[in-house]
Amino acid sequence: MTDQATKGEYRSGHDPRTLRDALGCFATGVTVVTCLDDSGKPAGLTVNSFTSVSLDPPLLLVCVHKMAASAEALTTASHFAVNVLQTGQQPASITFSTRVEDRFGDTPWSCGEAGAPILKDSLSVFECERYGVHDGGDHHILVGQVVKASFDASLDPLLSFRGRYRRLHFD
Ligand SMILES: Cc1cc2nc3c(=O)[nH]c(=O)nc-3n(C[C@H](O)[C@H](O)[C@H](O)COP(=O)(O)O)c2cc1C
């Protein structure tokens, strides 16, 4: 591989594609963020901009594009859930990041204690009460206060790195 294919440089005002490539070098897990809209219908999308914020109070954040179909529902719902995906849930990640008529149709889910949809067999789930919504340019920064967290540490995480799905490799 040449230097050109593996290296890049972005400056303010340049092609945002290069900035995306630079940001894509930060390996992350993959989540599906869900809520019920005001008519009680489940809504959600695939998100990797998930960060823990505070332990006391227990806060986390996700960034949701302002033009996302579920943006309105997620930023106004009293509760939402962050479902951290495991390797077997790659199909759910694809479904929740593409224009599928019924995203919840093919993915087993149930309502959590806080009312938000919980995807079956997730690696971990954070059920949150909406704590705040901040402006983040073309994204909303949605901050939640964790009311319940559960996990199954026997599962392996689904990862995202440089625009592709990845798995952990143990040496
Ligand atoms: C791995 C991965 C991570 C993503 N992370 C985010 C994210 O953090 N925030 C966001 O708004 N969209 C993110 N997306 C894109 C949304 O999932 C995608 O745009 C979604 O389909 C929105 O479409 P909608 O308007 O139908 O809801 C991500 C997609 C993938 C595949």
Side-chain angles (χ1 to χ4, degrees):
M1 243 190 240
T2 63
D3 263 11
Q4 239 179 350
T6 57
K7 294 186 179 177
E9 186 177 275
Y10 169 85
R11 302 285 168 115
S12 170
H14 281 186
D15 175 13
R17 176 73 250 171
T18 315
L19 176 59
R20 285 179 75 127
D21 291 346
L23 292 168
C25 293
F26 184 59
T28 68
V30 181
T31 77
V32 170
V33 181
T34 58
C35 70
L36 295 180
D37 70 14
D38 54 12
S39 66
K41 264 181 46 192
L45 80 170
T46 302
V47 160
N48 69 346
S49 57
F50 165 58
T51 307
S52 61
V53 173
S54 164
L55 282 179
D56 185 17
L59 302 178
L60 56 75
L61 71 78
V62 290
C63 299
V64 178
H65 199 285
K66 288 178 179 173
M67 300 304 285
S70 51
E72 170 83 14
L74 283 166
T75 52
T76 55
S78 64
H79 292 83
F80 66 93
V82 180
N83 298 270
V84 177
L85 304 188
Q86 43 95 6
T87 50
Q89 291 174 306
Q90 186 172 324
S93 177
I94 294 167
T95 298
F96 281 84
S97 60
T98 46
R99 296 249 164 205
V100 172
E101 189 65 32
D102 179 12
R103 287 183 170 168
F104 289 84
D106 286 339
T107 310
W109 64 281
S110 59
C111 264
E113 284 172 29
I118 305 301
L119 303 192
K120 190 170 179 282
D121 299 329
S122 294
L123 174 55
S124 62
V125 178
F126 299 88
E127 294 175 63
C128 300
E129 183 178 349
R130 178 162 47 83
Y131 186 83
V133 182
H134 304 276
D135 183 55
D138 57 11
H139 282 62
H140 298 290
I141 301 168
L142 173 60
V143 181
Q145 176 151 0
V146 180
V147 293
K148 183 181 173 189
S150 53
F151 61 92
D152 179 350
S154 70
L155 300 168
D156 283 338
L158 180 64
L159 304 180
S160 172
F161 176 59
R162 298 188 62 215
R164 290 178 54 192
Y165 292 107
R166 315 278 181 155
R167 281 155 174 61
L168 276 182
H169 295 281
F170 298 98
D171 291 326

